[in-house]
Amino acid sequence: MQSIFEEQTVLSSLDPRSSVQTVITKSIFSVEENVFWFGTLVPSKDIKGQMEKFKISNPNKIPCTVKFSVKPRTTSKNEGFAFEVSPESLRIMPHEYSYVKVWFKPTNIMSYGGVFEALVENGDSKGKSGGQLKFELRGEGVLPSVIMEKPTALGEDGNPQLKFRRTRAGKSQRDVIALKNEGSVPATVQFEPIKSEVFSLVSPSAATILPKSYQSFEIAFEPADVGEFKSLVAFSTLHNPYELQKVSLLGEGYKELVVFEGLPNNSEDELLFGDCPLEKPKKIQFSMASKAERPIRFEWLIHKPEIKCYPRVGFILSLIHICRCRRIERCRSRWSPYH
């Protein structure tokens, strides 16, 4: 059998528990089941289908004529037939070989089966001379598809909703739409342009997601003014006319007279110290900016003795005033700035 399927993979069985079978997913001949597996194919992607070549040899001392045929495996409507063979016959000289081509051309989303037969003209098909070769053909017609891993929450319109954090006008926040391909064929996703002045697609608009893989697409929200903003982003899966998915985008822009600048992790209103060694102070510097026309008095009201802020009281006389905060660890146990 190995000489016949020299361009394919020959396995002892198609048992899915086989470790080799988890790696090789198409162009497989199984000795135990006597089946050639074409694999999965997207019907609309390639109208020519998938072609495989089988090597037919004549080990005898005289020429022979071999006739080829493919026919349905069953009359059941649950299994399609989409196989073609060429040529229908070959004249093979002694100790020579030639190739026969078999095509798999699925047109629907279903399982396909057939029977391939090679018969030597005037040969002994029942004897030991090897006058007949017969095995099953199988394949699957599938559509590429993806599922949405994020976001999971639904908006008022019933679509998945990507909700951004409250964002100061002039600033930007980013979040992702995460997709997964749980199918057996690669899926190419194409995003449509977002019709919005505050939402934009940062990632490339198209990407191919391999089977059992993930892909994230980054969306940016950048409000220029105060208010709630909504939009919609849509994407489709190439070669799947039934898959057009939409995601609602929601964000809010705000303005403040006094705002913070330079906080860790580009935060708007959180001072994150992170992990701190015991008895070792950690200092973080940030700024306060005022858009008011008059000086603004500030006072830090911090109720934890481990945190100090300098200066604690003061005035913002111009656009920016520098502040410094320090965390002092006095206790022996672990302490988190979140508590």
Side-chain angles (χ1 to χ4, degrees), residues 206-242:
T208 298
I209 309 174
L210 298 178
K212 315 305 178 186
S213 299
Y214 295 84
Q215 180 73 38
S216 294
F217 296 85
E218 195 171 33
I219 307 292
F221 171 54
E222 189 172 358
D225 208 343
V226 176
E228 186 177 80
F229 299 90
K230 297 180 180 181
S231 190
L232 198 67
V233 59
F235 62 90
S236 58
T237 305
L238 195 63
H239 303 302
N240 187 342
Y242 308 104

Side-chain angles (χ1 to χ4, degrees), residues 16 19 37 134 138 147 170 176 184 191 219 231 261 327:
S19 59
W37 169 249
K134 189 175 183 180
R138 294 182 191 174
I147 62 172
V176 297
S184 55
F191 275 76
I219 307 292
S231 190
E261 299 283 359
R327 170 191 176 277

